[in-house]
Amino acid sequence: MKKREWNENQLEQLLQQLPSVKDKRTADQIYQQIQFKQQVKKRTRTWVAPTIASVAALMIFAIMTPYVFNSFTSSSEESNMDMTTTSSEEASKHETAESPQSSEVEENNINESAITEDKNENIALDTENMKEMAMLDQESITYVTNANDSEKVVTIGLTDKIAQNVVPVTLQGNNNKEKLERIHEFIPEDFFDELGPVSFELKNSELSSKEDPEEVYIDYKGEGGITSSSAEVMFKETIQETFRWIGVKRANLSTNGKEGIEFGNTGLVTEIDISQIRKKAYLIYQHDKNTKKLLVPSPEPLKTMIEAIDLMKNGIPAYNLSPSIGNNIIINVSENENQLNIEFNENKDIKNNEQSIMMLESLLLTAKDFGYKTVKFNGISEERIGVMNVTKPIEVPYSPNPIK
């Protein structure tokens, strides 16, 4: 069948033949209907997407629920099994611990008893060792050197900080240098911690000796001599307390090669006699509590040994010199040729301690200064005080205050 083709005129004629149709709605009604349809379309688009998403979520949850439930069940079972196993192990341990409890208590008691015994033994040993160490310390304490060390030591007279006392100290050690060289090279500052501030009055002088060992030559290198009276006293006392210990009997003085030294009080002095017997009492000097206690001769000589002992009991506070003998100790002295006999009051118990050591050794030095060779102590119950055997006569020391 052949398709009929219509032109515009034919279509227009056909449309005119159709029955007439008339819209009875007003323009406002038509406009409201159009707006209503548009709003409905928007609401439809708004809930479609959330609805689809919710449905999808429900489907995923439905699919995953069996797996989640199975996993949770499995984990719970494993956890329960672990807890059961742990409880079983703890119960087993508790039972094991309780079973030998009585034997362990008994063993612990035995161990504690053994430990206590060991501690007591250690304490006893430590106490005994401390006592032995203390005794050894007391036995080794001394403030003097003996004659056997005379070739190994050299004594130097030092001046204290306020230039009141000359403090003789003895350098120990077998030094191959000549004694005059050791004296000249002595550095007081090296011993400040041990002795306190001290000085050496001969540090600006050149020391030498010639053929006669009993003479020493002192060439003073200062200008204008020594004008101060206290400096003059200290200079001369330093010469005495430095050279008398090595047997020197005369010091020949010069200034820069010119004979004699000009002193403020005594004028030009060319030589000084050095005495071995000075009759001085030995007292205790200590710069402060952190420095050594030293035995120092009194500034002035005494007439008798009794006077010296009285001074040793009282000290000289103005010179910072403390008593070397207790004021309550009664001492009687007598002599037998070159030996001094010292009798202590038997009611006073003299122990082996620092105080007793300093007392006896200060008496030995004082006895030497009065020309005695030995000292016999009586009335002491101890056999030994420090390094001294007090049951026999004791040889007087060589020099005081050994230092290293």
Side-chain angles (χ1 to χ4, degrees), residues 225-226 232 236 253-255 258-272:
I226 299 173
E232 177 180 343
K236 292 179 177 179
L253 307 181
S254 62
T255 301
K258 185 179 178 180
E259 186 179 20
I261 298 176
E262 188 73 31
F263 291 102
N265 287 341
T266 55
L268 185 68
V269 178
T270 59
E271 62 182 39
I272 295 176

Side-chain angles (χ1 to χ4, degrees), residues 36-298:
F36 176 75
K37 288 181 179 179
Q38 288 179 348
Q39 290 176 359
V40 170
K41 287 181 180 180
K42 287 181 181 179
R43 284 198 298 268
T44 303
R45 292 191 190 99
T46 301
W47 67 264
V48 168
T51 302
I52 295 172
S54 299
V55 172
L58 289 171
M59 293 177 66
I60 292 171
F61 179 74
I63 294 170
M64 295 298 295
T65 298
Y67 297 99
V68 174
F69 180 76
N70 290 337
S71 176
F72 177 75
T73 304
S74 175
S75 298
S76 298
E77 290 176 354
E78 290 178 359
S79 177
N80 290 335
M81 290 178 65
D82 291 341
M83 292 176 66
T84 303
T85 303
T86 303
S87 298
S88 299
E89 290 177 355
E90 290 180 354
S92 176
K93 289 179 181 179
H94 183 66
E95 291 175 359
T96 303
E98 286 183 350
S99 59
Q101 184 176 4
S102 59
S103 61
E104 283 191 5
V105 169
E106 184 178 354
E107 184 178 355
N108 288 337
N109 291 335
I110 294 172
N111 291 336
E112 288 178 1
S113 177
I115 292 171
T116 302
E117 290 179 1
D118 290 341
K119 286 182 177 179
N120 291 335
E121 289 179 2
N122 290 334
I123 292 171
L125 288 173
D126 290 341
T127 304
E128 188 67 24
N129 290 335
M130 289 175 67
K131 288 181 179 179
E132 290 180 2
M133 290 295 292
M135 291 178 64
L136 288 173
D137 288 343
Q138 297 296 341
E139 289 174 0
S140 62
I141 292 175
T142 183
Y143 296 88
V144 298
T145 62
N146 59 51
N148 296 330
D149 297 326
S150 60
E151 296 301 320
K152 300 178 182 179
V153 300
V154 61
T155 304
I156 301 174
L158 304 175
T159 305
D160 67 358
K161 184 178 180 180
I162 55 177
Q164 283 187 318
N165 302 298
V166 172
V167 183
V169 296
T170 303
L171 300 177
Q172 293 179 295
N174 187 7
N175 197 311
N176 293 325
K177 293 182 180 180
E178 294 292 332
K179 290 193 175 186
L180 287 183
E181 186 178 1
R182 292 181 66 187
I183 293 171
H184 187 263
E185 291 179 351
F186 178 77
I187 302 174
E189 291 79 7
D190 291 344
F191 297 88
F192 277 10
D193 290 341
E194 188 174 0
L195 307 177
V198 290
S199 60
F200 184 43
E201 300 299 319
L202 303 181
K203 66 179 180 180
N204 293 326
S205 300
E206 184 178 312
L207 310 178
S208 62
S209 62
K210 294 183 179 178
E211 294 158 357
D212 190 349
E214 294 184 353
E215 292 188 11
V216 65
Y217 293 83
I218 301 173
D219 187 28
Y220 178 64
K221 297 300 182 181
E223 298 292 339
I226 299 173
T227 58
S228 167
S229 58
S230 62
E232 177 180 343
V233 171
M234 290 297 102
F235 189 88
K236 292 179 177 179
E237 282 296 305
T238 297
I239 293 174
Q240 295 284 346
E241 292 299 331
T242 298
F243 296 107
R244 75 185 186 102
W245 307 101
I246 56 176
V248 174
K249 295 181 179 179
R250 180 185 297 168
N252 298 289
L253 307 181
S254 62
T255 301
N256 295 315
K258 185 179 178 180
E259 186 179 20
I261 298 176
E262 188 73 31
F263 291 102
N265 287 341
T266 55
L268 185 68
V269 178
T270 59
E271 62 182 39
I272 295 176
D273 290 331
I274 299 173
S275 175
Q276 307 298 313
I277 299 175
R278 308 198 70 200
K279 294 187 176 183
K280 292 195 173 186
Y282 277 77
L283 302 106
I284 298 174
Y285 169 82
Q286 186 179 24
H287 174 68
D288 58 40
K289 64 180 181 179
N290 297 318
T291 57
K292 285 175 66 72
K293 292 179 180 179
L294 304 167
L295 295 177
V296 173
S298 58

